[in-house]
């Protein structure tokens, strides 16, 4: 039972109030428009929050936030913010990417901490027509046969890193033992280096494909010890590499057989400890590299001041991926996908002597890699590496080393 | 090849010893409280992190203090949360302890960050033993011996002390124990604390071997569940036998089929459950039927 009078659907007082509100609505328009103007530009951050890779994503995220803070938390002169969602699995990452686009209305997305996630996310980016700057995944296909015009990939593809790293490895001998993780990243490493070893006339002393998150490597280490290889070619990611190196040292193997791997993170080595760390690796950036340009030195100093510890390679990767996106948006003054893509394709970073940029043909970042080696005696809990060289040696060889996009299988659509 | 297989079996036994220690606390908590504690891996990780933090303050005594602290945290959790689950559906305890596991991991990540922390064994335990073809590290041997000593002490405590008798009786017929004038709630708090402390000891011992990261809890919880299920829920001896078997089977699988090294324990569990649904030494408990 209601109090309204029969025959009148809306009580007279409410009808009057409603009419008054409709009549007055134009008066409110400027305030609504102002509220829209104050709505920040949102950029999605899609990085794992838990699991073994979280050690790296912490730095990737910090680098991304630092890039935004450096410009006063503004893009195109408007307030901007990062919205960070998790990457629990390839499927979960795709769902969260949809949430970022459909619920949070982000203009672009940064992320892709693992190759398996990155591959899934780049397909979703193409479906959703959203610019996706992948800041960590290294699987070769991402800028090869799986490339698409919405995805920009920062990390150097596994096959390219393998080709650049190979001359350093041949000095150890040609009898290699492969220990690689049994998912996209590890399989890619095994395939690329086996091709190189085969061409060089080398032999495979052993080939173990290891499950992710293996807590105990002692049985694998016993096999390696028995096989007596010249060198170990690793392809185990993040925390798994730390565990392997700890147990390698614990079983008295450190210094007996060289360990080499590509695309490691500084955090993987920091977790090992000064006594157990060993190996020769490729990396994209090292905070103590004297060749770092002033802008990157300033970023590293800001990071040290804010977090009380040195910036890792992943900090730089998070920072440069985000910076290139924000710079691109500033340049094109637009949040539309096509404009952002155009802006990213024109973006350039680094110095004249050592530039890096997104290649138009496959949206792969072309940049020189570092070859780093753990110091013979580590005395500082952060400063583990000596930089052995930059590859390719001549910056003019960048295009050649990364290969032709079409020959790599990329047919941009 | 025979020499390598023997080495792998020795390595597997040592790994199995650690699995037993992780699993035994889980088994005790289920056996006495009827709670399937998904947060057990979280207490394992807490042990490693507490040792890490306390080591900076107290040096090596931290390895003793850390499990005690984990036990105290466990008792606090039981008093505030777990005791509300005793008369509830088992599914609720699964969900609550799963949420607790996520919370502990998130908390560790918040406090310590996601980056792994280095933690080395005592220098006195550096080095390896080589007996013919057998290779074993001093630290792993020490871990194995310590695990066995703890298990023997625990068994003796349960079998020969009045407190142990109360625990065993309480697990079978809590009402009768209550009618005899024993304050069972306090006993249950202590049991939960003991289970967590055992997970904490395992965490401390694993810290020099594994990477100390918040996600190490996930690496511990699944083998622990497999061991408890294979051994028989709540069975002490079953967990010991199952843990050692899982360690040896995993090590031998690495030798012949490394891809399947992690999956083999689940296959082994499936086979055992098909042949003996209550596990190797599982008994029929009216309370849980």
């Amino acid at each position: 039972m209601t109090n309204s009078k029969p025959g009148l659907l809306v009580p007279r007082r409410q009808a009057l109030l409603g009419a008054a509100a409709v009549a007055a609505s134009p008066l409110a328009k400027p305030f609504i428009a102002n509220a829209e103007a104050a709505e920040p530009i949102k950029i999605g951050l899609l990085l794992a929050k838990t699991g073994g890779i979280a050690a790296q994503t912490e730095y990737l995220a910090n680098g991304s936030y630092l890039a935004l803070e450096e410009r006063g938390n503004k893009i195109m002169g408007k307030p901007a913010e990062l919205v960070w969602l998790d990457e629990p699995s390839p499927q979960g990452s795709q769902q969260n990417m949809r949430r970022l686009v459909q619920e949070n209305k982000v203009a672009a997305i940064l992320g892709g901490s693992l190759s398996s996630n990155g591959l899934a996310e780049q397909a979703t980016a193409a479906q959703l027509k959203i610019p996706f700057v992948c800041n960590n995944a290294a699987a070769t296909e991402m800028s090869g046969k799986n490339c698409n015009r919405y995805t920009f990939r920062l990390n150097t593809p596994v096959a390219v890193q393998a080709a650049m790293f190979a001359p350093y490895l041949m000095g150890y001998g040609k009898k290699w033992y492969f220990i690689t993780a049994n998912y996209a990243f590890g399989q890619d490493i095994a395939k690329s280096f086996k091709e190189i070893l085969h061409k060089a006339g080398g032999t495979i002393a052993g080939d173990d494909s290891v499950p992710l998150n293996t807590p105990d490597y002692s049985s694998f280490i016993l096999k390696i010890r028995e096989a007596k290889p010249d060198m170990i070619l690793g392809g185990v990611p993040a925390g798994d590499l730390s565990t392997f190196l700890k147990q390698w040292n614990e079983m008295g193997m450190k210094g007996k057989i060289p360990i080499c791997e590509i695309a490691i993170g500084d955090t993987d080595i920091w977790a090992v400890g000064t006594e157990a760390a060993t190996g020769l690796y490729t990396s994209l950036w090292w905070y103590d590299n004297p060749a770092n340009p002033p802008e990157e030195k300033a970023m590293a100093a800001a990071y040290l001041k804010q977090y009380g510890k040195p910036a890792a390679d992943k900090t730089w990767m998070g920072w440069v991926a985000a910076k290139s996106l924000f710079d691109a948006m500033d340049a094109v003054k637009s949040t539309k996908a096509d404009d952002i893509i155009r802006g990213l394709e024109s973006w350039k970073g680094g110095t004249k002597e050592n530039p890096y940029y997104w290649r138009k043909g496959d949206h792969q970042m072309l940049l020189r890699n570092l070859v780093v080696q753990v110091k013979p005696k580590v005395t500082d809990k952060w400063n583990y590496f000596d930089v052995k060289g930059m590859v390719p040696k001549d910056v003019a060889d960048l295009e050649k080393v990364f290969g032709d996009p079409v020959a790599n299988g990329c047919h941009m659509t | 090849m025979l020499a390598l297989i023997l080495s792998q079996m020795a390595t597997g036994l040592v790994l199995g010893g650690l699995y037993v220690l992780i699993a035994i606390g889980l088994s005790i908590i289920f056996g006495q409280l009827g709670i399937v504690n998904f947060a057990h891996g979280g207490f394992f990780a807490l042990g490693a992190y507490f040792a890490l933090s306390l080591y900076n303050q107290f040096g090596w005594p931290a390895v003793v203090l850390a499990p005690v602290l984990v036990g105290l945290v466990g008792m606090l959790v039981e008093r505030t949360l777990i005791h509300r689950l005793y008369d509830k559906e088992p599914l609720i305890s699964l969900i609550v302890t799963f949420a607790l596991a996520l919370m502990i991991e998130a908390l560790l990540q918040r406090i310590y960050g996601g980056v792994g922390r280095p933690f080395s064994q005592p220098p006195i335990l550096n080095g390896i033993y080589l007996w013919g073809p057998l290779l074993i590290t001093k630290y792993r041997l020490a871990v194995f011996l310590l695990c066995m000593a703890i298990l023997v002490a625990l068994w003796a405590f349960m079998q020969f002390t009045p407190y142990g008798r109360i625990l065993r009786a309480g697990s079978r017929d809590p009402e009768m124990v209550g009618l005899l004038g024993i304050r069972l709630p306090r006993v249950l708090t202590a049991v939960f604390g003991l289970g967590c402390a055992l997970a904490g000891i395992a965490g401390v011992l694993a810290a020099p071997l594994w990477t100390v990261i918040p996600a190490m809890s996930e690496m511990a919880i699944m083998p622990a569940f497999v061991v408890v299920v294979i051994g028989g829920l709540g069975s002490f001896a079953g967990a010991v036998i199952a843990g050692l078997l899982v360690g040896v089977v995993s090590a031998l699988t690495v030798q012949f089929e490394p891809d399947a090294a992690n999956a083999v324990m689940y296959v082994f569990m499936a086979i055992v459950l098909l042949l003996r649904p209550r596990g190797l030494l599982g008994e029929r408990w009216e309370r849980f039927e």
Side-chain angles (χ1 to χ4, degrees):
Chain A
M1 191 173 168
T2 66
N3 293 328
S4 57
K5 290 179 182 171
L8 193 61
L9 287 173
V10 180
R12 185 179 296 141
R13 187 167 294 177
Q14 281 184 26
L16 280 170
L17 276 173
V22 170
S25 62
L27 297 173
K29 259 191 176 172
F31 300 103
I32 293 167
N34 278 347
E36 279 171 358
E39 184 74 13
I41 293 171
K42 290 180 181 171
I43 304 294
L45 194 58
L46 199 52
L47 290 170
K49 292 187 175 182
T50 56
I53 197 69
Q56 295 188 1
T57 56
E58 182 180 319
Y59 282 83
L60 285 164
N62 288 347
S64 306
Y65 280 104
L66 198 62
L68 190 58
E69 286 162 18
E70 278 176 355
R71 56 207 316 126
N73 292 312
K74 286 185 175 173
I75 301 173
M76 297 155 41
K78 296 175 186 170
E81 65 180 37
L82 293 173
V83 183
W84 184 0
L85 293 189
D86 197 5
E87 277 184 305
S89 64
Q91 292 77 12
S93 308
Q94 288 176 311
Q95 285 169 358
N96 280 346
M97 191 175 232
R98 287 183 192 284
R99 277 182 60 198
L100 282 171
V101 174
Q102 290 160 0
E103 292 175 25
N104 300 99
K105 312 285 182 204
V106 299
I109 295 172
L110 298 155
S113 48
L114 284 169
S115 290
S116 47
N117 294 341
L119 285 162
E121 288 157 9
Q122 79 171 142
T124 310
Q127 279 175 2
L128 299 172
K129 297 188 181 348
I130 185 89
F132 169 50
V133 183
C134 179
N135 54 22
N136 200 36
T140 303
E141 313 93 281
M142 279 197 79
S143 52
K145 67 182 174 64
N146 288 18
C147 77
N148 64 57
R149 69 183 295 264
Y150 293 93
T151 303
F152 291 75
R153 195 265 293 275
L154 188 150
N155 211 339
T156 302
V158 166
V160 178
Q161 290 197 48
M164 293 195 291
F165 197 31
Y168 284 84
L169 308 185
M170 293 305 168
Y172 289 126
K174 292 182 183 173
K175 187 182 168 192
W176 296 1
Y177 196 107
F178 288 80
I179 181 160
T180 51
N182 61 0
Y183 82 112
F185 173 66
Q187 288 159 354
D188 207 355
I189 288 181
K191 181 172 168 276
S192 302
F193 278 100
K194 277 177 192 170
E195 281 174 15
I196 288 167
L197 186 62
H198 180 70
K199 279 181 191 163
T203 54
I204 297 174
D207 181 12
D208 287 340
S209 180
V210 189
L212 265 183
N213 295 329
T214 293
D216 194 274
Y217 284 92
S218 53
S219 294
F220 292 97
I221 293 168
L222 282 176
K223 284 178 77 180
I224 296 170
R225 182 175 171 271
E226 186 70 14
K228 299 185 177 64
D230 294 330
M231 189 201 86
I232 296 166
L233 197 289
V236 284
D240 286 10
L241 175 64
S242 316
T243 306
F244 177 81
L245 291 177
K246 278 178 97 167
Q247 294 174 7
W248 181 253
N249 177 59
E250 190 241 341
M251 294 183 77
M253 297 299 289
K254 184 186 165 186
K256 291 189 176 162
I257 303 169
I259 296 173
C260 306
E261 185 167 329
I262 57 167
I264 65 144
D266 298 342
T267 51
D268 311 342
I269 299 297
W270 287 339
V272 176
T274 53
E275 290 166 26
T278 184
L280 183 75
Y281 307 100
T282 60
S283 180
L284 297 192
W285 189 82
W286 172 238
Y287 79 92
D288 199 36
N289 181 7
N292 287 342
E295 190 183 28
E296 292 176 9
K297 283 181 178 164
M299 179 276 288
Y303 191 90
L304 184 64
K305 190 177 172 193
Q306 187 165 341
Y307 294 98
K309 54 190 176 185
D313 59 327
K314 302 299 171 191
T315 311
W316 179 84
M317 291 164 78
W319 174 78
V320 85
K323 180 177 156 46
S324 70
L325 175 65
F326 306 153
D327 286 350
M329 292 173 75
D330 275 351
V332 296
K333 295 191 170 38
S334 169
T335 54
K336 288 182 182 162
D338 287 344
D339 295 334
I340 294 173
I341 290 168
R342 188 163 45 83
L344 282 165
E345 285 174 343
S346 310
W347 181 85
K348 278 196 167 44
T351 58
K352 197 178 169 190
E353 300 75 36
N354 194 28
Y356 40 83
Y357 53 93
W358 304 106
R359 180 161 65 173
K360 204 169 180 179
D362 54 4
H363 289 175
Q364 168 64 48
M365 179 172 277
L366 299 201
L367 80 167
R368 293 163 85 192
N369 282 213
L370 300 175
V371 175
V372 294
Q373 186 163 33
V374 175
K375 293 172 189 284
K377 187 161 179 61
V378 182
T379 50
D380 180 321
K381 70 172 181 170
W382 302 110
N383 199 348
Y384 278 64
F385 293 131
D386 287 327
V387 177
K388 306 303 282 185
M390 289 185 91
V391 283
K393 277 185 182 162
D394 188 349
V395 75
D397 290 338
L398 264 179
E399 289 274 352
K400 194 174 84 183
V401 166
F402 277 77
D404 177 69
V406 176
N408 290 343
C410 174
H411 300 278
M412 198 74 86
T413 49
Chain B
M1 179 53 99
L2 182 65
L4 191 56
I5 289 174
L6 285 173
S7 277
Q8 293 288 20
M9 289 178 75
T11 304
L13 273 177
V14 174
L15 176 64
L18 196 60
Y19 282 163
V20 173
L21 200 58
I22 303 169
I24 207 76
L26 191 67
S27 181
I28 287 175
I29 289 172
F30 177 79
Q32 312 296 320
L33 279 63
I35 298 286
V36 179
N37 182 20
F38 258 114
H40 199 69
F43 291 102
F44 168 84
L46 274 183
Y49 273 101
F50 283 168
L52 205 70
S53 298
L54 293 171
Y55 179 78
N56 295 331
Q57 302 288 321
F58 305 105
W60 288 113
V63 301
V64 178
L65 293 173
V68 173
L69 198 56
V70 175
L72 290 173
V73 172
M75 290 168 79
L76 187 69
V77 168
E78 196 277 344
R79 277 291 78 205
T80 53
L81 190 68
I82 302 295
H83 83 277
R84 298 170 203 275
L85 305 173
Y86 294 146
D87 54 351
K88 301 282 191 304
E89 286 286 314
L91 188 62
I92 294 176
S93 71
L94 282 178
I95 294 169
V96 169
T97 56
F98 185 65
L100 184 63
L102 294 176
M103 205 179 80
I104 293 173
E105 189 178 333
L107 208 61
L108 288 174
Q109 185 131 356
R110 187 93 185 156
I111 297 168
Y112 295 97
V115 180
R117 300 294 183 107
F119 191 79
S120 304
Q121 66 246 29
I124 197 170
L125 295 176
N126 286 343
I128 56 171
Y129 291 117
L130 265 170
W131 293 302
L134 284 183
L135 181 151
I136 193 153
T137 69
K138 285 183 184 175
Y139 182 70
R140 282 174 194 255
L141 187 63
V143 166
F144 183 71
L145 294 175
L146 190 62
C147 286
M148 292 304 123
I150 290 168
L151 292 173
V152 169
L154 202 59
W155 172 79
F157 170 76
M158 299 289 268
Q159 291 296 321
F160 303 121
T161 65
Y163 199 80
R165 278 194 282 275
I166 292 169
L167 288 180
R168 285 187 289 128
S171 68
R172 292 302 171 110
D173 196 341
E175 269 184 38
M176 180 56 76
V177 172
L179 289 172
L180 289 171
I182 294 162
R183 297 179 70 175
L184 207 55
R186 281 189 184 179
V187 174
L188 298 182
T189 304
V191 168
F192 195 82
L194 175 68
C196 294
L198 288 168
I201 296 173
V204 172
L205 295 177
L209 298 173
W210 298 13
T211 302
V212 181
I213 49 173
M216 74 188 292
S217 58
E218 293 162 25
M219 296 182 203
I221 191 69
M222 289 322 291
F225 267 108
V226 168
V227 166
V228 170
V229 171
I230 291 175
L233 284 169
S235 167
F236 187 95
V240 175
I241 294 167
L244 297 178
L245 275 176
V246 165
V248 171
V249 169
S250 299
L252 289 176
T253 309
V254 168
Q255 182 61 43
F256 298 107
E257 195 57 52
D259 256 339
N262 280 11
V264 70
M265 68 172 85
Y266 304 105
V267 176
F268 186 42
M269 179 175 75
I271 293 169
V272 169
L273 289 181
L274 278 173
L275 298 173
R276 201 175 152 76
R278 285 205 179 86
L280 292 175
L281 299 182
E283 294 170 22
R284 181 186 165 86
W285 287 29
E286 284 173 13
R287 193 180 149 206
F288 298 131
E289 297 294 327

